[in-house]
Amino acid sequence: MDLLRLAPLRQFLRSRWYPTSFQVLTVGFLGLLLAFAFLGPDRGGRNLATVVTWTLWWPLLPISLVLLGRAWCAICPLAAIASVAQRLAPPVRQRVPPLVRRNGIWVMAFAFAGLTWIDRVSGITSAPRTTGIVLSLLLVGAVGASLAFQRRVWCRYLCPLGALSGLYAMAAPLALRPRRAECHQCAGKDCYNGSARASGCPLLEFPGNLDSNRNCNLCAQCLKACPAGTPAAPGAMELRLRMPGTELASLRHPLVGEAALALLMVALVYIQTVDMTAAWPQYMKWLLESSPAMGYALAFTGTLALTLLATLGTYAAAARLARGPGESTSQSFAAYGYAYLPIALAGHLGHNLSHLLYEGPRAVQTTLDELRIPLALVPPMDEGAAMTGINWPALLVVSLGIAGAVLTVWRVAGSRGQPLRRAWPHLALVGLWSLVYLTVFLLPMNPRHSH
Amino acid sequence: MRRWIIIALAAAAVLASCSSTGASDPNFPAFVYSSSSSLEGYRIAVRMPEVLEKMPCYCGCGKTNNHHSLKECFIKPDGSYDDHASGCDVCVKEAVDVDNWHRQGKSLAEVRRLLDAKYRDYGQPTDTAPVE
């Protein structure tokens, strides 16, 4: 189904109001968050910056990615400010250095792992000033990259959330795709090169060949630039509504870096979740009492590093065992990695669903209080207390993710012309991770902000 | 390869030096180990309970947990550990500040004054007696 056949939606996406009107709102809100981060109360649970950033926006981001693809990236305030800076500065002609192009996915993957590490060692989520510093550094990075390079190099190759966003967006039910027959007849390629109507794709993709959501942020520049598009005609692009997750098993160009990131996300979501349960302090007590000289930061770092390495190592072994005839390990590694994404994605959604359901209402109340809006919607709560009981919605989401992973293994095997029995190492590994995730999600979690 | 090993060892050394060792830790209950800052807070409470006893806590625990001083966020009147501070950043931050000011040689009265000045906007303090 092509949503661009709906005239009001098509006209809105092609208008100058999209995505500008949303960007104005998000930029204004970012300014407010930065002001509160540096000038507001130095108390995580009561500061608008920490509450909105970590209790509302952070959990809503993966939900938005899985529903709307990378649409958030189109209205991201950092990118919007960077684009304005790029327009105001002297024109830059600098192309993306090959080093960045080749290794961007690894930079983004390890930057995201680094964010997890910094959070757990220094506690960003409950530190307003540190939150302000992190947001400012991201802004400096985005503006710096936009002044040095063409278009949105930051979003595509450097943003710590970029690779994750691209990966999660592949599972989304929305996909902007070209009508190839029309695109191949087009001589100007305005959707990439830009024209008087609109600039070219900011993420340096040629929309006429778009076959994945990984580098499409639904900014609609291609719709505006397409010479075949008029207010009355949809042009050469379609906004398709599809079954969620179908792209994961049908990629024409699976990438080793993305496959590795999918596995890293499985491990990171596991660590992020287990360290908020009662099992974590027991493990750390045992570890630190066994090796008293180690110290907390080193114990956490070692645990994180070993978990990531063990996850990649076991996956590499499974990829080697599941190789088809004449196939290299790296080809097998790249193809099956996406099958683990539903587990990470569901775990991420389930984890954040727990926070949203438990802390979200209180976070909304804190936002109203900080903005001096006299509206009492939620009574005070003991924010430091652990959530009790089983979070059934989160467990349901994780179960659906596991089913999605098994289905994707089966479909990847099918798309490669392999019998399912050849994929047994992946089915075994998915089974192992399923057990781990289900066990962890049965444990009560601590809230993100303590009081 | 050798360069990476050296970098890894250097990083480990930096991390080890960043976090104080637990060689002299008492037998803390597991909840103390929920985070790096929680462990640090309980270590301070064990090291200087007589100082924390003179300091109020501003997290609101006077009302919700019937605490009477910052010490009770970590150690109950019967000497056992209270899990409250393991989930409360305010208690831990106060303990760290008190420890820093105390190490700088400030008197109890000065520490108390500084604590009151820094945290008075956080909320209702415990009913801790003033420092003479």
Side-chain angles (χ1 to χ4, degrees):
Chain A
M1 180 184 174
D2 177 13
L3 295 179
L4 291 182
R5 294 198 179 280
L6 303 171
L9 177 66
R10 182 175 71 240
Q11 282 159 7
F12 176 63
L13 293 179
R14 286 174 51 89
S15 76
R16 64 195 172 115
W17 296 105
Y18 179 80
T20 313
S21 50
F22 293 104
Q23 287 172 329
V24 169
L25 287 176
T26 57
V27 168
F29 211 75
L30 175 68
L32 198 64
L33 292 188
L34 286 173
F36 270 90
F38 291 114
L39 305 173
D42 191 19
R43 185 173 182 179
R46 304 285 164 86
N47 187 301
L48 190 79
T50 38
V51 167
V52 169
T53 305
W54 305 116
T55 309
L56 293 178
W57 173 75
W58 190 251
L60 286 172
L61 181 65
I63 296 174
S64 142
L65 289 168
V66 81
L67 290 179
L68 301 171
R70 291 186 71 168
W72 164 258
C73 300
I75 64 169
C76 168
L78 306 178
I81 295 170
S83 295
V84 171
Q86 197 172 52
R87 255 177 258 150
L88 295 176
V92 284
R93 295 282 180 269
Q94 190 82 20
R95 297 180 73 85
V96 190
L99 186 73
V100 174
R101 218 168 39 225
R102 272 198 306 270
N103 300 304
I105 183 82
W106 296 102
V107 172
M108 291 191 282
F110 283 99
F112 186 77
L115 269 183
T116 302
W117 179 81
I118 292 170
D119 172 36
R120 291 312 194 260
V121 170
S122 77
I124 304 175
T125 58
S126 52
R129 311 291 182 253
T130 318
T131 298
I133 291 169
V134 168
L135 291 176
S136 303
L137 286 176
L138 291 174
L139 181 58
V140 168
V143 171
S146 77
L147 295 179
F149 303 112
Q150 298 176 338
R151 310 195 192 188
R152 288 197 189 177
V153 166
W154 169 263
C155 307
R156 172 146 183 179
Y157 294 108
L158 300 169
C159 172
L161 295 175
L164 172 81
S165 303
L167 208 54
Y168 282 3
M170 288 182 197
L174 278 181
L176 194 63
R177 295 290 184 269
R179 270 190 273 272
R180 287 180 191 280
E182 289 180 47
C183 287
H184 287 170
Q185 290 167 2
C186 174
K189 315 290 184 205
D190 292 348
C191 55
Y192 179 80
N193 295 320
S195 69
R197 285 182 300 276
S199 53
C201 175
L203 291 192
L204 300 138
E205 277 288 308
F206 171 46
N209 269 344
L210 202 60
D211 63 351
S212 164
N213 276 6
R214 64 164 69 100
N215 293 318
C216 173
N217 64 5
L218 298 175
C219 66
Q221 285 301 107
C222 53
L223 302 186
K224 292 168 190 163
C226 178
T230 66
M237 301 300 287
E238 292 179 335
L239 185 58
R240 292 179 195 160
L241 204 54
R242 59 182 186 174
M243 272 296 287
T246 44
E247 187 179 322
L248 300 175
S250 57
L251 281 167
R252 275 195 292 173
H253 305 294
L255 304 173
V256 169
E258 277 182 351
L261 177 62
L263 269 294
L264 287 179
M265 284 310 301
V266 172
L268 284 173
V269 169
Y270 160 69
I271 287 281
Q272 285 177 351
T273 307
V274 78
D275 94 341
M276 288 181 135
T277 69
W280 180 258
Q282 287 178 11
Y283 161 74
M284 288 304 276
K285 176 177 165 68
W286 166 78
L287 191 60
L288 290 175
E289 285 181 352
S290 311
S291 320
M294 187 153 35
Y296 204 99
L298 187 58
F300 177 80
T301 307
T303 301
L304 179 67
L306 281 178
T307 307
L308 296 181
L309 284 174
T311 303
L312 285 179
T314 47
Y315 175 67
R320 187 170 174 78
L321 285 170
R323 275 180 310 169
E327 189 180 49
S328 71
T329 302
S330 65
Q331 285 171 321
S332 172
F333 188 104
Y336 279 100
Y338 300 87
Y340 293 75
L341 189 66
I343 298 181
L345 184 52
H348 203 159
L349 292 177
H351 175 115
N352 286 321
L353 202 57
S354 303
H355 287 302
L356 265 184
L357 292 176
Y358 188 75
E359 298 165 80
R362 187 65 214 152
V364 170
Q365 184 63 55
T366 304
T367 307
L368 293 173
D369 294 346
E370 289 294 320
L371 294 174
R372 305 277 189 271
I373 298 171
L375 202 59
L377 299 177
V378 184
M381 61 180 269
D382 183 359
E383 295 161 48
M387 302 173 208
T388 51
I390 296 169
N391 187 338
W392 290 107
L395 207 57
L396 176 69
V397 171
V398 170
S399 305
L400 285 173
I402 291 166
V406 173
L407 185 68
T408 311
V409 168
W410 176 62
R411 294 184 61 194
V412 170
S415 71
R416 297 155 63 77
Q418 292 176 344
L420 186 59
R421 65 175 184 279
R422 186 172 283 284
W424 71 263
H426 293 297
L427 289 174
L429 203 51
V430 164
L432 186 66
W433 275 113
S434 303
L435 276 178
V436 170
Y437 266 55
L438 289 174
T439 307
V440 168
F441 275 90
L442 281 169
L443 300 171
M445 263 170 67
N446 291 319
R448 188 161 270 149
H449 287 298
S450 53
H451 56 174
Chain B
M1 183 66 188
R2 204 168 61 181
R3 192 178 57 170
W4 287 109
I5 291 172
I6 291 169
I7 290 171
L9 286 174
V14 169
L15 281 168
S17 62
C18 284
S19 45
S20 54
T21 70
S24 58
D25 278 346
N27 186 20
F28 282 133
F31 59 75
V32 168
Y33 295 86
S34 63
S35 68
S36 169
S37 58
S38 162
L39 180 58
E40 187 183 5
Y42 280 89
R43 281 179 179 154
I44 292 168
V46 166
R47 203 171 61 237
M48 43 196 286
E50 70 290 348
V51 177
L52 297 198
E53 197 168 23
K54 302 265 191 287
M55 302 296 147
C57 180
Y58 282 86
C59 79
C61 61
K63 205 171 171 183
T64 57
N65 301 49
N66 200 28
H67 288 168
H68 300 289
S69 72
L70 183 55
K71 179 194 160 194
E72 288 182 21
C73 302
F74 299 88
I75 302 169
K76 292 178 182 170
D78 66 5
S80 62
Y81 293 100
D82 193 315
D83 66 355
H84 172 80
S86 68
C88 181
D89 290 329
V90 178
C91 304
V92 171
K93 274 164 74 173
E94 285 185 54
V96 170
D97 280 337
V98 169
D99 182 38
N100 285 337
W101 292 323
H102 194 254
R103 280 170 194 261
Q104 289 165 15
K106 298 194 188 315
S107 68
L108 273 185
E110 278 178 298
V111 172
R112 173 75 184 256
R113 192 177 50 74
L114 287 167
L115 190 76
D116 288 337
K118 180 168 178 183
Y119 290 93
R120 76 162 54 97
D121 293 337
Y122 275 51
Q124 186 79 19
T126 51
D127 56 357
T128 316
V131 176
E132 296 299 323

